């Protein structure tokens, strides 16, 4: 008896997300970061109840906070410079920005960017919200530690802890 019909615009949301970044390869990094966050969510929260953030909430956060991250590299054989996408840095920056969105009350709010413009975190309790923040802080630490590792294999071992065993180990 508490269920209501709300206006929704899934096609408009899809267009909005698709048009967020005009360059196709930049947009691919945007999509990868969203997938990383969703993978992290699946591996770090129970699939029942409202403990975990929704996929659309994480997508909306990325929509608001993501920036493309590339490193300038040099190909010595071709003697040319090129850009290489840095997903680890992009993900780390998004997580830092999400943490900066938390108010002093340890709550975060993000509106759906299309109708009904509702707060995508409104159904999470204060305890669930604090748990979400704590897990994000842990993710940030692991991402930062992985970026500081000198060995790729060690960095990947760290990332497996938050993204699951099928994450590449090398």
């Amino acid at each position: 008896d508490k269920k209501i019909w709300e206006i929704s615009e899934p096609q408009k949301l899809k267009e909005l997300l698709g048009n967020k970044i005009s360059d196709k390869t930049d947009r691919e990094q945007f999509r990868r970061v969203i997938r990383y966050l969703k993978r992290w969510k699946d591996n770090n929260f129970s699939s029942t109840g409202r403990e975990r953030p929704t996929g659309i909430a994480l997508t909306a956060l990325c929509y608001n906070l993501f920036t493309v991250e590339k490193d300038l590299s040099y190909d010595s054989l071709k003697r040319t410079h090129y850009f290489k996408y840095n997903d680890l840095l992009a993900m780390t920056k998004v997580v830092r920005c999400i943490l900066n969105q938390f108010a002093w009350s340890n709550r975060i709010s993000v509106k759906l960017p299309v109708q009904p413009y509702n707060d995508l975190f409104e159904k999470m309790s204060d305890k669930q919200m604090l748990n979400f923040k704590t897990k994000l802080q842990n993710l940030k630490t692991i991402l930062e530690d992985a970026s500081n590792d000198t060995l790729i294999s060690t960095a990947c071992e760290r990332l497996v802890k938050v993204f699951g065993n099928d994450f590449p180990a090398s």
Side-chain angles (χ1 to χ4, degrees), residues 26-27 48 88 139:
D26 289 354
R27 190 169 48 251
T48 59
L88 182 56
L139 174 60

Side-chain angles (χ1 to χ4, degrees), residues 5-136:
W5 286 98
E6 288 184 325
I7 296 173
S8 67
E9 299 177 308
Q11 194 59 37
K12 187 174 179 183
L13 179 61
K14 184 178 177 182
E15 290 172 19
L16 197 64
L17 292 170
N19 294 331
K20 167 73 175 167
I21 299 171
S22 59
D23 182 82
K24 182 183 176 201
T25 52
D26 289 354
R27 190 169 48 251
E28 288 171 4
Q29 185 183 50
F30 173 63
R31 287 179 171 162
R32 285 193 304 272
V33 169
I34 292 169
R35 284 195 303 270
Y36 298 146
L37 272 175
K38 288 179 178 181
R39 170 56 71 127
W40 166 77
K41 172 193 74 159
D42 290 344
N43 281 287
N44 290 276
F45 292 90
S46 169
S47 62
T48 59
R50 293 187 179 129
E51 174 192 345
R52 67 194 212 157
T54 62
I56 192 66
L58 296 174
T59 300
L61 284 167
C62 283
Y63 177 80
N64 294 333
L65 304 171
F66 172 82
T67 56
V68 175
E69 294 298 333
K70 301 177 197 177
D71 295 327
L72 184 62
S73 295
Y74 182 73
D75 185 333
S76 59
L77 294 175
K78 296 181 181 178
R79 295 182 181 192
T80 184
H81 287 89
Y82 65 96
F83 286 102
K84 184 177 177 184
Y85 286 92
N86 188 334
D87 288 3
L88 182 56
L89 181 58
M91 179 72 171
T92 303
K93 284 187 172 185
V94 164
V95 171
R96 283 182 190 146
C97 289
I98 293 170
L99 285 165
N100 288 336
Q101 299 293 308
F102 277 85
W104 63 270
S105 60
N106 286 320
R107 291 201 62 84
I108 190 172
S109 175
V110 65
K111 303 283 186 194
L112 186 66
V114 295
Q115 285 192 53
Y117 305 107
N118 57 317
D119 178 2
L120 299 169
F121 287 103
E122 68 188 352
K123 293 181 181 177
M124 288 179 77
S125 70
D126 289 344
K127 184 179 177 182
Q128 292 165 337
M129 191 65 69
L130 183 58
N131 184 44
F132 174 47
K133 182 179 180 183
T134 301
K135 288 183 181 192
L136 275 170

